[in-house]
Structure formats: structure tokens, C-alpha cells
Amino acid sequence: QHKENVSVLPGCKNIDQPKVQYRGIFLNDENPALYGWVNETYGGFNHEFYNQVFELILRLKGNYLWPAMWGKAFYDDDPLNAEMADMYGVVIGTSHHEPMGRAHVEWERYGEGDWNYQTNEEVLRDFWIEGIKRLKDYEATISLAMRGDGDEAMEEDTNVELLTRIVKDQREIIDSISPGNKDRQIQLWALYKEVQDYYEKGMRVPDDVMLLAADDNWGNVRLLPEPGTAGDHPGGWGLYYHFDYVGGPRNYKWINTNQVSRTWEQMNLVWEHGMDRMWLVNVGDLKPMEYPISFFLDHAWDPEKMTVEEMNRYAENWSSYQFGEEYGEDIGEFLTKYTQYNSRRKPEMLSPETYSLHYFNEAERVVKDYNKLAKEAKAVYDEIPEDYKDAYYQLVLFPIQASANLNELYVTTAKNRWYAKQGRAITNEMADRVVYLFERDSLLTEEYHNDLADGKWNHFMSQTHIGYTYWQQPEKNSIPETETLDVPEKADMGVSIMGSEKWWPNAKSEAKLPQFDVFNKQNYYLEVFNRGATPFSYSVESDSEWLKVSGATGEVKKQERLLVNVDWDKVPEGKNTGTITISSEAGGPVTVIAEAFNPTSPQAGNFNGFIESNGYVAIEAEHFSRNVAAGGTEWIKVPKLGRTKSAMTLEPVTSETKTAGSEESPRLEYDLHLFSDGEVEVKVYLSPTLDYYMDHPGLRYGISLNNEEPQVVNIHEDYNWYELVGNSINIKSSTHVIDEPGHHVLKIWMVDPGIVIQKIVVETG
């Protein structure tokens, strides 16, 4: 908000100070978006551009920067870059694979021979000497050690002896050139990717070198010091985190997909383990990441103040600050929901196969949720004051509209392919809609580039994001392949039902809807579709007064969806079966079976807990019946974390390991009523947290039904990283035996801290 006046009290007063020493951002993966904008606006990555970046960092109460490095060299491109940083007091570093203050591209410009210390030591030493000389007395960090050329591993094998010698030689260069700047030029060793292997195999650096651990590039911390040991290394520990990444399982560069709740949960681990020297986050092109950057740097300023409750209020508070309190709550909810939806599956990882068209109405629910959010966000845009519209559009409305459109594009493609297999007349209409949605994506981008603030942010949405086939981005967005049919003139009726991939009368098996039950009072549907161009009439009959179908008669041009529900006041006790018959002159009849379950016990509304339906019980982790603390540790809710609602984790995060089932192990209890007996499978849905301690067997939880001995489940056994981070979930299973139907208690026990549980599904078959 614009302020007419700013008042400053005289004198120097320490009102507040940060708890993390270096707090900053890394501009990375910056082509084509940031690259295009900077070159058009400033003519290159020069001091005029970085002047704005430094001001931004200071306004966000940061103090540190890794500059853009794809073909760019902060110190070499414009000598005024370093002077400007020094004037602002922003500390400059070079990235994890750019040692001794020299950018990667500078080796291409000035280096001779191979980037190999074993075969080209003298040239490399001279190259690094120039980098340290150029630092003068600027406040900076100096990355030590060495990775391979182009952000790759140095060698296939972990050569600890060689890397130790490289660090020793680099430190000798620094001591000979800049001996009086140890407090201003901090040396760090980035334990990124394969470099962490060196640390785990025993390589150590001198006490004054900062250890900069990293996440897995997907927001999961890889390495933490054992509780209470961070202070054993005087150089301190820091963490390099990611909001953007180029690499497997897919690049994610286009738009914000980061839940601040997940960032809080992981960085809270970092803080509680004593890593307070540096918090650095890769922000990619910068522009799409305003919201998570603000959170990250606010969190770094005072991690103790950023409690789980404060984190939960952050979206509303931040939105109120940007747009006024009148809109803060709504806009905060928009930010929370769209980042939750996007974090389920990165846009670059979407495909027509991502969400199911058949089971639990998943694909349609995803599209409906996105489109509802887009509609609500547009309504606020229409009424928000004119001065806010540009900021609101690029921070809130565009990412929601673009994400909703992309998800609908892939789901519509999936429908097109499914309908083609069934010969539906609507197949071609779905192909046309795919073309429309693909073109709308480019039109939204054009609006962002040309109309938003009169083209102020041109190029920022130029990142390709449609048509990935492997980890690397496609050269251009490409429309998904669709199918078209030569639809025959003659009408031909088909029927599909919710919960099945089949269609009738083609399928040989009976058509049976999922079971209705009095506890959930479900609504299901069936679709009557035409396989020809000529419309036909149909009629529907139910043989039970309790079984209701919308649209008893009608005409089908392409397809009609009929809603099926139950009048529970007319359902007898027990399990009841009814049929729906669809007839037409264009084929059939097709008979659909429906079951309504109305047991005598328990009575609907008189049971506190979860009741089996259709062979499963699905439980949000936060909906426990009892939360029993023990041994100085408790389960706490992390609001809005995960794919659906919230999550449960343990506090304090540095607690010692507990024995499942003991009095020292805190537990979550869930009351169940099962109508089945025999073997059941319990699937626990967890965040894809890594095992962040060295020489550790994996993070574990205990699980039991009723009074059985708890089973201990290791969440890192058979950990398929590519699959689990891609799906943003880790599902672990255990098998249990139910002696008889009725009331049961599911218990989740603490074994190790760090576990984050989102959801629990009990499958009875």
C-alpha cells in the first residue's frame, strides 16, 4: 500500500535482529523467463537489474544472494554488480558448483584445458587465484571444493583424498591473498547431491568452514546433524532449499507449487537441529515465487516466532498486508488452496493418466475444485480496487486460472481417449475442447505478458510446461494427442456407470454401482451415451421405491448423466438390492444393480468414529478419536499440509526414539466400526520425508489394531524416490487380522520423530 509519509525516530536502535545469520535467495534456471525479461528491461544482468534485486532482498529482511548463473557471471559481466552489493550490504556467494568466487561460465570464457584438478591443477589454481583477488574486501561467501563441469559429479567414484587436497589448496590460496577477511569472507562447503557422499564417507573440513546441507531438490531435507551436535562444528550449519528445480523426475520451473506448510515443517526440522548459519532457497525465475519467498525469509528471521499457529495464519496475514484486511481471508485461502492443488502433482508431471476417470470420480473432482477456485478468485478480482488488480492478477488469479486450465486440458484428453475406445459420439467434441484449452493456455500467457501492467512483466511466463516426456523440458508446448471418430449416422445406446471402466451392453459382466450406505448417503451416477449421430429417446425404470434416478425419460444427442440416490426413509433394514433398467429404441435394455446398506447397528449418527463403506475406511490423520501424549513428546497438527487436508507430526522433532506400545510412546487412536472380519490392510499416507540422519535405519512408526503387539513400519524400506516425490506421498502398508465385525481401535505409535502422516486408509477388500 502506498504511504504518503514515513517517519523514522532519531538515533540507532536495535528493535529486532535475525536468528539465522545469512538469509537469501538463489536466482537459477533463469532461461528463458527471467533471462528474457532482464534483457528486455535492463539489457543484461547488470548493476541496474541487481540494484532492484538487492532492494527486494533488504525489504524482505534478507541479506544474501547467489546470483543468476546460466551463462552469466556476476563479477565478470558488470564490475559494478559487486560494488552495488557492497553498498547495499548484501552478501554475495557463488553456487554449489562454482568454487572460489568464479562463475561456471567463466571457465568457458577464460579457462584452458579440462576442468580436472588431477590433470590441470596449475591452470585451475591460477583461475581460482583471480577469483579471490577480484573479491577485494567485499563481504562474500566462498564456495570450496569442486564438482564436475556443468553441475555434474566430479568423478564416478567418491574420491575423498582428492577433494580433501583441493579444499586444502583452495584455503591456502585464500590465506595468501585475503588473510584479513576471515570474518567477511566466509568459506562454505555445499553438501549437494553426490558431495554429501564425501561427508558420509568421513571427509571433514576445517572448523571455520560452514557446512551447507541441502534438500533433495524437491523440498525434502537430506541431512541433519544429530540433535545437540551442530555446535560441535564452529563454522556452523546451513541449509540450501528449493522452490524450483531442473532435473529428475521432472523439471518444475513454470509456476509456484510450494506449500508453505511443508516448507515450515522441513525448515522447522532444520532450526531445531541447530542449523542457524544460513538459510538459502533456489527461487528459479524469482517472479512466480513472491509468496513462498516472503514466507521463507520471514521464517528465517525468527524461526521461534514462526510457530505452527503463526504459519497457519501467514497466508491471511500476508494477503491482508498486500491487499487490505477486507480481502485478506479470502485471498489467503486462494493461495493456500492453489498451492495445495499444485503440490499434489507438479504441472510438468501431469498427463492424461494422472487422475482416474473411473474411481471415486477423482479426475472430475480435481477439475471441479480448480475451476471453483478460479471462479471465486475471479469474483474477488472483479471487486478489488483498481490499484490492486495488477498485483492480484499475477500473484493470485493467473496461477489459479492457468493451473485450472492445465489440469482440465489433461483430464479432457483422458476423456477423449476413453470415449474413443467406447465409440461415443462426443469423442470429437472432447478433441475440440482439448484444442480450445491448449490455445487458452497461450492466451493466458499472452495476457500476462502484454496486458498485465502494460507489459511490465513480459517473458515471465514463457517457460514451457505442456508435453513433457522425460525430466527435461520440451522445446515448445505441444498439444496432447487426441483421437477423432467417423461417427455412424445410426443411433446406438451405451451405458457407463461410476466406478467402472467398462460400458454396457458391450461388457459381459453385470453393471453394478458401488454400494450405498446410510452413514455416507452417497450420490452416484450413470451415463447414457450415443454411439451414433442420430438422437434417440430412452426411459429409466427402478424396481424399488427407495432407489431414485433423475431423468426418468429423455433424449440423448451425445450423452446424458443420470444421478442415482437413495430415499433412506424407505429403505428396509439390512442389505437391499434394487435394479435400474435403461431402455431405448437404439439398443438395450441395460440393467444396473444397486445395493443399499442400512444395518441395525450401529445407528447412523450414534457412532463417533469411522465406519466401513465399500470395503474401506478413509481417515484424515487429523480426525483422531484420541491423541495421547507420552514421554515428553506429542502428536501435533500441521494445518493445510499435504494433498487433502492437514497432517500430524511429532513435537519436539529432536525427541529420542521410542518403543511402539510402551508408555513412553505417544499415540493417535481412531475408532472404527468394521462389517468385515479376516485380514485387512492398513495404508498410511505419509509426506515423502527422507531419512535425514547418517547411519540410521530409516524413520519408523508403530501400528496396531486393538490390543495386538504393534508392528513397526520403516517408511524408508523400498523407498522409490522418483515415484514418491513425483506423487508427493509415501504409502506404507501393514496387514492385520480382525476376529469379528464390530468396534475396533486403530493405533499409530511414535517410534522416530520426523514422521508426517496425512491420511490413513483401512482396506477390508
Side-chain angles (χ1 to χ4, degrees), residues 645-684:
K645 195 169 181 64
S646 294
M648 299 297 294
T649 191
L650 289 146
E651 193 175 76
V653 298
T654 53
S655 297
E656 294 181 354
T657 295
K658 312 289 186 182
T659 300
S662 71
E663 293 182 357
E664 292 294 303
S665 174
R667 67 186 185 275
L668 298 169
E669 296 186 353
Y670 301 87
D671 289 333
L672 313 176
H673 188 96
L674 304 180
F675 299 106
S676 307
D677 57 10
E679 191 172 280
V680 301
E681 185 175 12
V682 181
K683 293 181 177 177
V684 177

Side-chain angles (χ1 to χ4, degrees), residues 225 227-228 230-231 236-238 268-277 279 654:
W237 285 76
N268 184 57
L269 286 172
V270 170
W271 171 254
E272 294 295 338
H273 283 79
M275 302 170 74
D276 60 0
R277 194 80 197 276
W279 286 15
T654 53

Side-chain angles (χ1 to χ4, degrees), residues 23-27 53 56-62 64-65 241-244 256 258-260 263 279-301 306 314 318 322 395:
R23 308 164 309 286
I25 60 175
F26 177 21
L27 305 180
V53 175
L56 169 68
I57 290 171
L58 294 184
R59 281 192 284 112
L60 296 175
K61 296 199 288 190
Y64 186 68
L65 174 70
Y241 200 71
H242 284 75
F243 289 157
D244 164 286
N256 179 30
N258 301 282
Q259 286 184 291
V260 299
T263 301
W279 286 15
L280 172 70
V281 60
N282 187 324
V283 302
D285 291 313
L286 181 66
K287 190 64 187 162
M289 303 299 174
E290 294 97 330
Y291 173 55
I293 291 171
S294 293
F295 176 80
F296 186 89
L297 293 178
D298 281 344
H299 192 186
W301 182 269
M306 190 63 76
Y314 190 84
W318 191 81
Q322 307 300 334
L395 281 170

